[in-house]
Amino acid sequence: LDLDVAANTDQILFLNGETGAEKGEFAKYVHYQKHNKEDNFVNIQLNLLAADEQQENKSSISELENFIDTIKEGTIFLSGYSELTTKHQIQARNTLQNLPLAQGIRFIVGVNFSKKDKKLMQNKELDTIFFDEVLVDLPPLRQCLQDIPELLKGFVDYFSLAEGEGLTPRRFSLAAQNMLTKYAWPGNIKQLKNLVHATLLRPGKEIVNIEEIEEGKYLSPKFDENGLIPVVTTDCSNGD
């Protein structure tokens, strides 16, 4: 099931992807299929609500319903689900499943089954948990290396636009593109996005070549067991 099909359903949409998969950006893509502006796209970080609960001794996750009730239209993206304890995951699911959704509100939840909730797949409990929801898998960038040239151009275009940062556009040489398609990208698509951003911030010629990428020290010089060079210098610690 792809995102274009999922966008036309009213069910809760779960986006499953590894750290750095930019699930929030994919959620916005779904949002824009029915809305023409971003101001009715709301991102709620469930893991931060749970942290507030521990610090202030209050049930923040269970109060999620009260906050959602103040939103009348648009898309609500819930991130950080896979960072929750089992207790809080159950609370979040129960809140969503029992919530009388107002017409015009769409829920999207970012999950990462490669983390602690991977046991749900092993125990074959997914059919029960996501019985009436839509689940879309977002493949890691290392499985889509052939898309890197197109992604590079897309990120350059984004950061060059006013709604990005209005940076001066640059082009990656063919040799640089070929080199980047040989990397494992442990930070996923977010790491590639960060690399493009960093190169555009650097003063340089119109063409980004291999030497500039190496000088910028964006890439680790060490090969992994698969012969791919992982990128390790950009921060992709924000899971969604």
Side-chain angles (χ1 to χ4, degrees), residues 32-223:
Y32 284 128
Q33 303 308 300
K34 293 188 176 181
H35 303 275
N36 57 12
K37 57 183 180 179
E38 189 176 328
D39 54 2
N40 52 358
F41 178 90
V42 180
N43 184 355
I44 300 176
Q45 294 181 267
L46 294 174
N47 53 321
L48 297 185
L49 287 180
D52 289 341
E53 174 179 328
Q54 294 177 348
Q55 294 176 1
E56 302 179 17
N57 194 28
K58 65 179 182 180
S59 182
S60 298
I61 293 291
S62 61
E63 292 179 358
L64 183 61
E65 181 176 349
N66 295 331
F67 176 78
I68 291 174
D69 191 50
T70 65
I71 301 172
K72 303 303 180 184
E73 182 183 14
T75 301
I76 299 176
F77 175 59
L78 302 175
S79 61
Y81 176 87
S82 297
E83 308 295 333
L84 300 176
T85 63
T86 300
K87 168 190 171 183
H88 288 139
Q89 285 186 353
I90 292 173
Q91 285 182 352
R93 286 200 304 270
N94 288 342
T95 297
L96 290 174
Q97 291 171 349
N98 297 327
L99 199 62
L101 300 183
Q103 188 174 5
I105 292 182
R106 175 68 182 274
F107 281 92
I108 303 177
V109 186
V111 294
N112 183 351
F113 292 141
S114 66
K115 289 195 171 185
K116 66 181 69 175
D117 50 350
K118 185 176 181 180
K119 62 180 181 292
L120 297 177
M121 298 180 69
Q122 297 171 343
N123 295 335
K124 298 181 179 179
E125 297 176 4
L126 284 178
D127 288 342
T128 300
I129 294 173
F130 302 113
F131 174 73
D132 194 33
E133 288 84 27
V134 178
L135 178 64
V136 174
D137 287 311
L138 304 175
L141 183 57
R142 64 180 178 275
Q143 295 179 11
C144 308
L145 296 176
Q146 72 279 2
D147 294 333
I148 284 181
E150 184 177 353
L151 289 169
L152 288 171
K153 182 180 184 303
F155 288 139
V156 169
D157 290 344
Y158 169 76
F159 288 119
S160 301
L161 296 174
E163 53 264 36
E165 295 184 28
L167 300 176
T168 301
R170 305 180 67 191
R171 294 186 294 112
F172 285 76
S173 69
L174 183 60
Q177 293 179 44
N178 289 338
M179 181 183 72
L180 295 177
T181 61
K182 295 180 173 64
Y183 285 81
W185 300 102
N188 221 317
I189 191 171
K190 183 172 184 179
Q191 200 155 20
L192 178 64
K193 181 180 179 181
N194 288 348
L195 182 145
V196 173
H197 186 220
T199 56
L200 294 184
L201 287 174
R202 284 168 56 98
K205 300 179 180 179
E206 179 187 357
I207 304 298
V208 179
N209 55 31
I210 291 177
E211 291 73 24
E212 180 176 349
I213 294 175
E214 292 176 341
E215 289 173 3
K217 298 181 179 179
Y218 308 119
L219 311 178
S220 167
K222 297 181 180 179
F223 284 85

